Amino acid sequence: MSRSNSKFHIPLTFQESARAALENTQLRRNLGKATQTIRAKRASVVDELPDWQELREAGRAIKERTLRHLDEYLLQLEAAVQRAGGQVHWARDAIEANRIVAGIVLEHGASEVIKVKSLTTDEIRMNEALGQHGVTAIETDLAELIIQLAHEESSHILVPAIHKNRAEIRTLFMHTLGISELSDEPAELAAVARRYLRTKFLSVPVATSGVNFAVAATGTIAVVESEGNGRMCLTLPEVLISIMGIEKVIPGWQDFEVFLQLLPRSSTGERMNPYTSFWTGVHPGDGPQAFHLVLLDNGRSRVLADHIGRQTLNCIRCSACLNVCPVYERTGGHAYNSVYPGPIGAILTPQLLGVERAGSLPYASSLCGACYDVCPVKINIPEVLVHLRAQVVRHKQTSEGIKGKLDPEAIGMRLLARVFRSPERYEQAQKLARLGQIPFARRGIIERLPPPLNVWTTMRDLQAVPRQTFRDWWRKRRVFGSVPKADADGVGDADGVDAEAAAAGRRNV
Amino acid sequence: MSAARDEILQRVRLALRDVPQREQPTDVAVERGYRPTADASREHVIELFVERVREYKATVRIVTAHALPTTIAESCAARGVRRLLVPVDIPREWLPAGIEALRDTELTYAQIDGCDGVLTGCALGIAQTGTIVLDGGQAQGRRVLTLLPDYHLCVVRTEQIVGLVPEAVARLVPAVCEQQRAITFISGPSATSDIELNRVEGVHGPRTLEVIVVTPD
């Protein structure tokens, strides 16, 4: 996908992009190795903490408290930042945020800005917007630099170049940075970035960053990182512009005792990330002497309005859900066609953009629930996915008029609803199905159905309707006044179809 | 104020119609059932700190206060440090003889970048995570000092070491909430895991971190 695709235009469905990704064996190898490594690291550092579940619960509760009173906390944050010498700007959408940032950069006469990796600035496509004003945004995070040099998109929240291996990175650096001798040792590749960026850090007068947390009571901002490029950007330039989604506010300084334990362990699988910077407005004689904070809505207030979807805003962007997701592990991040990939992206993107623009994403999941188990702020991702699927269907039915009503799935569902509403119709349907399935059912399993029903059976088997249903059995039992032995055991059939089906039925309950 | 501000606040309030008018933030319960302090002896906490810092591939040495200057001299000699950057308020007794200590009296970035290493104290150490906390207080100086030189030698007194993250956050309340100081948490040398998720020590910050833990005489 090229950079020119606006985030408001999702060109392909997840299923279409996933198919292409699945054919890329190199990508699958890189991803499989990376996600397995990080899963193991995370599990070992999480197991170290006997109070992990208590920390998760506290993290969730703090976020809930903040979101339920978001307006108050935003006003507190604004006042605190201003008190500490910073300036606060509000942006309703991406265009407004970019206009604010560009305005500040141009006011300081800068033609380049150095940038700390930030998903929020990717979401608003800030680099492109600054480019239109003749300002070059230089990515300083190693992975971001790699994908910037390769003109590619991020494929993972935390390690955006996870889809590339060391050999690919070596070739890229040699071609784009004009280096003739270079090994594929990660340490040597990192050293290339160090040399390349040091002069930029020391000369570019304006930096931009995202925000991991912003404390309402004190105006303190936190940026969590590994390489030191963040500290460079936050410390060396004269001007610092930080862009944050409005959900990143937390009530008090004390809350860091929770989030500083949850975030690093969940994201990189480390006890603590190498560097975390906290600053409060402007510090005389230390760091940038002009600080701007941009508060961005860009669809977040819409997410907030949905009672079930609201918990999505708990997200602290750790990426643990990506690394455990069996779907992400195989398709990679690009298939999601969004800056927010993986399970969190599958619920966040459709809510930010509206289900009409990203309706395929809620289906990018097997609903296995691994993402919910690892989420450090307990976002019930499967619950939100199912909720969004319902919205997708409702949208299809209501907005597409007669076409929506004549959609085969819609007709099927209406029919089913009628059938399920009456016991007589239900039993008749069972009888019909028992007849209809004869050409397809083998040993209680339907492996293939004719179109259009094969949409279901190309990927999974269907349980056949058993020869004897529970209701049949129950009726017989009442008529005879006692339980016939064969039926009670569920073995009423020579080929054992009913027994298997009954067993499968019990498991499903 | 701005139209954007009014509109965003209005959208947020509209989105929160389900929240009862009289609900206060504190009405939303936050159960803090996690450990506030480490349940371990001082010796164990200090041992754990040393172990955890070492796991980040930083060098740690434990010495008595009396032996500190000699240890600093040895460390600098081993690294080949000739020009050692120090904050203006570095304790005089730390500095060994025969080393050119460059005090940060409004040095330029170029001067700082040209130093072979930097020597600082710290505000706190966190055992649980092997973290050093700088708050710009005594013997720490401004943030850039510990950023540009490739070698950071940091002195941690044992009484500065706490067990868990919540203890550190609590101790930093005056520095943040009253004095609005900039805080930096440092856990090992600068590192990246961006290439195949292999941790590589040393990208932009100091590639070598050396910690001297000082016990009372």
Side-chain angles (χ1 to χ4, degrees):
Chain A
M1 211 175 109
S2 81
R3 277 262 168 196
S4 62
N5 275 317
S6 150
K7 94 172 180 92
F8 292 110
H9 173 67
I10 288 193
L12 291 172
T13 65
F14 174 79
Q15 286 76 4
E16 290 163 332
S17 307
R19 189 149 299 156
L22 289 172
E23 281 161 14
N24 185 341
T25 49
Q26 179 68 56
L27 175 81
R28 290 182 65 176
R29 239 192 326 270
N30 295 352
L31 274 170
K33 180 171 182 277
T35 49
Q36 275 161 35
T37 308
I38 202 158
R39 273 207 302 271
K41 278 174 69 183
R42 178 204 163 272
S44 80
V45 293
V46 163
D47 288 348
E48 247 177 46
L49 295 188
D51 49 355
W52 182 253
Q53 293 308 332
E54 285 79 5
L55 287 164
R56 273 181 90 207
E57 173 51 28
R60 185 207 60 77
I62 293 167
K63 282 289 184 176
E64 188 191 358
R65 174 183 284 184
T66 317
L67 291 173
R68 285 177 75 87
H69 297 273
L70 188 58
D71 52 333
E72 296 165 54
Y73 285 119
L74 288 173
L75 288 173
Q76 268 189 41
L77 175 67
E78 179 188 50
V81 170
Q82 286 168 344
R83 245 189 344 260
Q87 292 183 57
V88 179
H89 311 260
W90 300 69
R92 280 165 284 202
D93 54 25
I95 294 169
E96 192 160 38
N98 287 326
R99 200 164 51 222
I100 292 165
V101 176
I104 299 166
V105 175
L106 295 175
E107 189 188 310
H108 289 275
S111 60
E112 286 180 323
V113 298
I114 43 176
K115 215 187 138 196
V116 190
K117 174 182 178 317
S118 145
L119 284 165
T120 310
T121 58
D122 290 344
E123 175 192 320
I124 62 174
R125 300 208 166 264
M126 189 187 75
N127 296 10
E128 252 171 59
L130 289 178
Q132 282 161 11
H133 291 274
V135 176
T136 310
I138 302 161
E139 295 286 356
T140 63
D141 172 77
L142 180 55
E144 289 285 349
L145 178 69
I146 290 167
I147 60 172
Q148 191 176 41
L149 291 174
H151 301 288
E152 285 178 15
E153 296 272 322
S154 163
S155 63
H156 189 285
I157 290 177
L158 178 78
V159 272
I162 199 171
H163 57 290
K164 288 187 124 49
N165 64 22
R166 61 179 78 186
E168 292 168 307
I169 296 165
R170 168 181 177 262
T171 316
L172 174 73
F173 278 2
M174 290 176 74
H175 286 162
T176 55
L177 301 177
I179 302 164
S180 51
E181 291 279 317
L182 188 63
S183 82
D184 64 0
E185 270 306 303
E188 204 180 313
L189 296 170
V192 168
R194 181 184 172 97
R195 280 194 302 276
Y196 172 73
L197 288 172
R198 185 54 72 110
T199 52
K200 298 289 182 193
F201 288 137
L202 289 170
S203 63
V204 177
V206 181
T208 68
S209 84
V211 169
N212 286 103
F213 304 96
V215 179
T218 61
T220 306
I221 313 288
V223 164
V224 170
E225 51 131 357
S226 293
E227 297 172 11
N229 64 310
R231 290 181 69 196
M232 294 278 180
C233 292
L234 302 173
T235 312
L236 299 176
E238 295 147 33
V239 183
L240 172 62
I241 310 165
S242 299
I243 300 104
M244 66 176 264
I246 51 174
E247 83 283 18
K248 292 295 180 71
V249 64
I250 56 173
W253 167 256
Q254 194 201 350
D255 298 318
F256 278 120
E257 68 186 24
V258 176
F259 294 114
L260 287 182
Q261 297 196 69
L262 291 174
L263 181 55
R265 287 179 203 257
S266 299
S267 61
T268 47
E270 292 167 302
R271 296 187 180 108
M272 195 63 93
N273 52 292
Y275 297 132
T276 302
S277 298
F278 305 88
W279 71 97
T280 306
V282 168
H283 303 279
D286 184 357
Q289 293 303 295
F291 170 57
H292 297 266
L293 182 65
V294 181
L295 301 173
L296 175 75
D297 181 351
N298 208 32
R300 287 162 176 78
S301 53
R302 177 152 89 163
V303 185
L304 191 69
D306 184 313
H307 300 188
I308 293 174
R310 181 178 296 164
Q311 57 184 314
T312 312
L313 299 177
N314 289 5
C315 179
I316 55 174
R317 309 286 189 260
C318 72
S319 72
C321 63
L322 276 64
N323 303 321
V324 298
C325 179
V327 176
Y328 177 88
E329 186 176 4
R330 284 160 183 84
T331 65
H334 292 149
Y336 296 79
N337 294 310
S338 162
V339 263
Y340 301 109
I344 187 63
I347 61 171
L348 183 58
T349 309
Q351 292 187 83
L352 286 176
L353 301 183
V355 288
E356 66 279 8
R357 286 195 177 111
S360 69
L361 286 176
Y363 296 91
S365 167
S366 65
L367 299 179
C368 74
C371 47
Y372 182 27
D373 287 345
V374 296
C375 179
V377 283
K378 288 178 142 175
I379 302 172
N380 190 336
I381 294 177
E383 181 191 25
V384 182
L385 281 168
V386 171
H387 174 67
L388 291 173
R389 287 181 186 186
Q391 283 186 9
V392 171
V393 172
R394 199 148 305 131
H395 170 77
K396 224 158 92 192
Q397 288 168 347
T398 54
S399 69
E400 292 178 8
I402 193 76
K403 187 170 157 271
K405 291 221 164 40
L406 292 177
D407 178 75
E409 192 187 356
I411 293 174
M413 287 299 169
R414 270 202 305 276
L415 217 63
L416 269 182
R418 261 180 71 79
V419 167
F420 284 142
R421 266 201 299 270
S422 127
E424 291 75 29
R425 278 199 290 266
Y426 180 70
E427 283 191 11
Q428 263 165 1
Q430 277 182 328
K431 280 187 193 133
L432 268 173
R434 221 173 284 151
L435 280 176
Q437 73 187 6
I438 290 172
F440 309 104
R442 297 279 177 281
R443 302 188 64 81
I445 299 285
I446 298 172
E447 287 182 2
R448 225 164 289 145
L449 278 173
L453 300 173
N454 63 350
V455 176
W456 181 270
T457 51
T458 43
M459 294 298 173
R460 14 173 150 53
D461 292 341
L462 195 63
Q463 288 288 342
V465 179
R467 230 171 268 178
Q468 187 188 37
T469 64
F470 174 77
R471 295 168 68 91
D472 295 336
W473 171 80
W474 184 253
R475 242 188 319 257
K476 250 194 226 170
R477 178 182 172 274
R478 281 216 311 215
V479 167
F480 292 111
S482 67
V483 184
K485 192 171 182 308
D487 282 355
D489 289 340
V491 188
D493 247 305
D495 62 2
V497 166
D498 282 11
E500 274 176 36
R506 272 201 297 279
R507 275 202 303 279
N508 288 341
V509 173
Chain B
M1 294 270 279
S2 78
R5 177 181 187 267
D6 292 343
E7 196 179 322
I8 292 172
L9 287 170
Q10 198 198 347
R11 287 181 194 169
V12 168
R13 285 173 189 143
L14 209 63
L16 294 172
R17 271 173 309 185
D18 61 310
V19 177
Q21 275 291 312
R22 54 183 192 289
E23 183 183 294
Q24 296 296 308
T26 45
D27 293 339
V28 184
V30 175
E31 196 73 53
R32 293 183 192 265
Y34 47 84
R35 295 170 299 164
T37 52
D39 182 23
S41 67
R42 283 303 297 164
E43 290 73 36
H44 181 71
V45 166
I46 292 157
E47 251 171 59
L48 186 67
F49 175 77
V50 171
E51 183 192 309
R52 293 273 154 101
V53 175
R54 277 186 184 144
E55 280 184 36
Y56 293 125
K57 298 192 184 151
T59 315
V60 186
R61 296 216 266 169
I62 308 157
V63 301
T64 60
H66 178 74
L68 182 60
T70 339
T71 312
I72 291 171
E74 283 165 11
S75 293
C76 288
R79 260 300 282 198
V81 172
R82 274 162 308 179
R83 256 185 317 165
L84 181 67
L85 178 66
V86 293
V88 272
D89 57 352
I90 197 92
R92 191 162 303 185
E93 62 275 16
W94 287 11
L95 291 177
I99 282 232
E100 186 199 336
L102 191 62
R103 279 167 194 275
D104 174 32
T105 47
E106 294 179 27
L107 297 175
T108 64
Y109 290 165
Q111 286 172 307
I112 294 169
D113 198 26
C115 288
D116 303 314
V118 61
L119 170 69
T120 70
C122 71
L124 289 171
I126 309 172
Q128 181 191 22
T129 56
T131 302
I132 290 159
V133 180
L134 303 181
D135 71 356
Q138 218 232 320
Q140 296 161 60
R142 52 187 174 141
R143 284 173 285 171
V144 64
L145 301 189
T146 52
L147 185 56
L148 293 177
D150 204 12
Y151 171 65
H152 181 193
L153 182 58
C154 185
V155 176
V156 183
R157 299 194 316 270
T158 47
E159 68 266 28
Q160 291 177 313
I161 299 172
V162 298
L164 303 182
V165 170
E167 296 171 69
V169 170
R171 280 225 207 168
L172 288 166
V173 166
V176 176
C177 304
E178 289 155 32
Q179 297 156 46
Q180 273 137 33
R181 294 217 203 125
I183 311 282
T184 308
F185 278 33
I186 298 174
S187 307
S190 145
T192 182
S193 301
D194 279 347
I195 302 169
E196 297 180 7
L197 285 167
N198 288 313
R199 185 170 163 129
V200 174
E201 276 71 27
V203 194
H204 301 295
R207 285 184 284 193
T208 309
L209 174 68
E210 201 172 323
V211 175
I212 304 176
V213 174
V214 183
T215 57
D217 279 322

